[in-house]
Amino acid sequence: MTYDVARLVRDLSTELRGEVRDDTLSRAMYATDASNYRVVPDLVVLPRDEADLLVTLDLARVAGAPVAMRGAGTSMAGNALGGVVVDVSRYLDRIVDIDPVAATATVQPGVVLTDLVAAARPHGLTFGADPSSASRCTLGGMIANNACGAHSVAWGTTGDNVRALRVVTADGRQARVQAVTDTSPAGPPDPAIADLHRALASLGEEEAMLIRRRFGTFSRQISGYALQHLLPERGVDLARLLCGSEGTLATTLEATVSLATLPRAVVLLALGFPDAVSAARSVPTVLPHGPLTMESINATLVERLPADTRRAATAAGLPPGQMWLLVEVGADDEAGARSAAADIAQEVRDTIPGATASVVTDPSAQGVLWRCRRDGTGLATRRADGAEAWAGWEDAAVPPDRLGDYLTGLDELMGRYGYSGASYGHFGEGCMHMRIDFDLLSEPGARSYRSFVEQATDLVVSLGGSVSGEHGDGRARGGLLERMYGADATDLFTRVKDLWDPERRLNPRVIVDPPDVVDNLRQQGQAQHFGGRTRLAFAQDAGSFAQAQRRCVGVGKCVQSSGGVMCPSYQVTREETHSTRGRARVLFEMMEGDVITDGWRAEEVRDALDLCLSCKGCLGDCPVNVDMATYKAEFTHQHYRGRPWRRPRSHWTMGWLPALARVAGLAPGLTNRVSSSRLAGPLKRAGGVAQSRDIPEFAPQSFTSWFHREHTPARGQGRTRILLWPDTFTTYLSPEVGKAAVAVLEDAGYEVHLPAGQVCCGLTWVSTGQLGVAATVLRRSLDVIEPALRAGATVVGLEPSCTALFRHEAVELLAGDERAALAKTQVKTLAEALLEAPDWQPRPQDREALVQVHCHQHAVMGFDADREVMRRAGISAQIPDSGCCGLAGNFGFEAGHEEISAQIGERVLAPAVRAAPEATEIVSDGFSCRTQIGSLTPRRGRHLAELLAETVERR
């Protein structure tokens, strides 16, 4: 469709209160969703309110522009791409009303599902459909796709729970359409669309025989239009017809939905099976018991979970098996729920050979098992060997009693094509989600993909199934609809589309006139050929920066409305640019080269990465371990390579902090007087430091000086030699932490040594993208500690970011260096080293502590060891869901970042610290975290070593 884009941009910019974006960065970020497809939009609109949305649609109609409505952008089928993309998630997110008596809610289309659930929960209510993307998906998107989720087996699809929609048609008519239910029969149509209603009713009568035969055959038949809602015996139900129409017929302005009553007690029955087919065969046994969920996850995905999550899952009650079903059972009380779950378990064990079972009652343990299921969407995108796996055939469904046959047939078909994949899904409704290792990079691979999905469609059709069970058709399955339904049925789709949208402006080429399933595959673009040697190894991605960027498939956990570490800047700005997904897309578009054209030199990319804190939250929280901190370091290195004069001043000050600290440490008193004098302002400006930040005070005596000159080390007596890493922060700024660590380690029976020379891990050079310097610094430090590493000694790190560098970046920075590989396994946290000390038991303290876990520790080392040490020490740890502190090393000190740094800290951490009783210790091992706590609150954070050292008997 051709139209005057520039004129439309001008008209929209004049008329709207919201945002109209046609810049390179915005178009790049909205070019893909969570699917395999890429269609660059002409512009992006973020309407401020409903009036803005109506004006947008009106002006687009006048201009002849195609419009794609968008919520969270988590579509796996390419449902919302191209033309004028209208993002309602930013502003149209108001819960208009909750009526607890009628058990309904009225919402705008941009309301996030978890926000609705949170608002309904105090009334004992919830929304029945709950896809795994609930923390970011919007009600408008759920209506467009007729989303389902884990509880739809009990409470129905989104369409089943819609009571009324207020919509605007393609030609600008506003109307209210009411759902037809047993208690609300079909009434007179809204006068604004009475002619449309008559025409659709006539079509339903005329084609009733065909519609009865092929539509509405089972609950998960989501593909195409739900034409069963035009049948005369049911009463024409335009609200339900619009559910699952993928924004191709009308635009939702507001929705009234029914809410389900929460059971008073819920237990989780975890069923284990030797294989997927056995699990599928159990469905007819379980369904008559009326479970709330019947969700599957297989061993391939469980094995790919982080080790601590796997351990937690086993401890929570995941029974032996290779395939599991999570069956939620509700009742009026826990005893009733437990009894019902036990009955199901016994019947399954009696029916299915090799079945195992575990009844889980603890809510936190249930949460652990549900996390395994929720993260399957991302985990399935990579095989254990690192090979890529893709959506495309991830959403087929069959009647539940045919699921075993489907899985058997699909395994045979995948075997013929040499494909493998990981599966998860809604077994109770016969819907199976999969990621398969299609070759979508090459033309022959794309042809094989097309052939496979066509034959898989034939398999599904032979079993009475649907190519889509909840994700919709979009570009992934639209081209398969004729194969599924037949040409006569797809002709009906065209007739319906022509009645609603004769100009084909609403989400064109979705459902009707679909493209070939291999058109616009994003994997086939120029990004795969992006060359040039990177400074980091990217070993987990076959040495390819391009493959690393393909990790992000857009599932959008980083744009959830709350919780987690990822992504701190997005959590306060709500800007897609500042999400992990947004940044990954910008890097991908940099390599694609047609929208962002300057490669490594692209300033758009530099700007998009500017508010990345390099906190590594995404490495730990993202299901596919997108590591934006590493990508930023590589980009920054390449961006300034050969032109160091273009670097920000902060790179020369905070990036070179270890070197500057050594100089300052020669005369700490003088340094502190200067940094607190009138010269501080000019010095900060010269160094790119925020004026509002105090320059940290240097200790009168460094930790290393104290150790060598004043400390009498414990030696001999069967002690195990250990090397304590004197990082820059501990050595020059917090020597009390080092002293405390020495006392605790010696009390645990260790013989503590320091490296025999100057050492530094190179962290600050990595975070500022000075990778050549970082490699040199790290290599020299490894020279110093090589004898200890070769001897198998443990190296204890006190600063989490430095420890994490050895555990993660070092092998990427010094690929092939055996010493870096040794350090990866031998560098430990203080807590890990203490737990390895035989017979060590800390003296009980009986105190409370509020703990801010350092982001790098969260992502790389985990907190299990610290939690156990604190438990042994009698310290009750409260860990708020605070995410990053906001300082993040150099980030919060840099001029221009101070405001957002404070906003991040004030989101959860600072209020939690202020609210903590005076007797509660504030614990944070990271120097940055302690600095931010001291900056935003009157409290002082302390290192775990300091708490443990208080009870050590001084010798």
Side-chain angles (χ1 to χ4, degrees), residues 111-112 114 140 230 240 253 303 317 345 439 450 461 487 517-518 531 554 581 641 699 832 876-877 886:
V111 168
V112 173
T114 49
L230 300 182
R240 298 272 171 73
L253 302 175
E303 288 165 1
D439 169 17
R450 183 203 289 120
V461 171
V517 296
V518 297
R581 180 177 71 177
R641 186 162 58 93
E832 289 169 339
S876 177

Side-chain angles (χ1 to χ4, degrees), residues 181-375:
T181 67
D182 294 338
T183 58
S184 178
D190 190 306
I193 57 169
D195 58 334
L196 179 59
H197 189 279
R198 283 193 300 272
L200 290 165
S202 176
L203 186 149
E205 291 179 2
E206 178 186 337
E207 302 292 347
M209 185 176 295
L210 172 61
I211 293 172
R212 290 189 191 104
R213 196 167 63 243
R214 300 189 195 168
F215 293 87
T217 59
F218 75 111
S219 63
R220 286 300 187 104
Q221 187 187 35
I222 302 298
S223 283
Y225 294 137
L227 299 185
Q228 68 270 22
H229 296 300
L230 300 182
L231 290 171
E233 63 266 26
R234 301 183 183 216
V236 174
D237 188 342
L238 298 189
R240 298 272 171 73
L241 174 70
L242 291 175
C243 292
S245 63
E246 303 183 36
T248 63
L249 303 181
T251 300
T252 299
L253 302 175
E254 192 174 272
T256 299
V257 298
S258 62
L259 300 173
T261 301
L262 288 165
R264 293 179 180 175
V266 173
V267 302
L268 184 63
L269 171 62
L271 295 171
F273 301 91
D275 52 58
V277 174
S278 297
R281 303 292 186 208
S282 75
V283 172
T285 300
V286 178
L287 282 181
H289 292 269
L292 299 176
T293 69
M294 199 171 179
E295 298 293 288
S296 74
I297 184 171
N298 71 4
T300 302
L301 293 182
V302 171
E303 288 165 1
R304 294 213 50 237
L305 290 165
D308 57 343
T309 304
R310 291 199 306 275
R311 288 192 297 269
T314 301
L318 192 69
Q322 293 297 304
M323 189 79 177
W324 295 272
L325 295 183
L326 302 182
V327 180
E328 209 170 63
V329 181
D332 289 337
D333 55 46
E334 184 177 310
R338 287 175 63 94
S339 176
D343 290 344
I344 297 173
Q346 187 59 53
E347 194 169 339
V348 169
R349 283 193 293 258
D350 291 344
T351 307
I352 307 297
T356 59
S358 173
V359 177
V360 182
T361 59
D362 179 63
S364 62
Q366 293 178 15
V368 170
L369 296 182
W370 278 119
R371 179 190 170 185
C372 298
R373 167 63 182 85
R374 284 194 306 270
D375 284 354

Side-chain angles (χ1 to χ4, degrees), residues 718-723 744-745 747-751 792-797 807 822-842 861 864-866 868-869 872 948:
R719 292 177 175 271
T720 301
R721 292 172 61 92
I722 200 168
L723 198 65
V744 173
L745 288 168
D747 181 65
Y750 286 111
E751 183 177 302
T794 292
V795 180
V796 175
R807 299 269 280 266
L822 290 173
K824 182 181 177 70
T825 60
Q826 291 174 224
V827 175
K828 305 286 178 67
T829 66
L830 173 66
E832 289 169 339
L834 290 174
L835 293 180
E836 291 178 358
D839 303 322
W840 174 76
Q841 180 61 44
M861 292 88 73
D864 285 354
D866 296 69
E868 175 60 17
V869 165
R872 292 188 187 183
L948 297 175

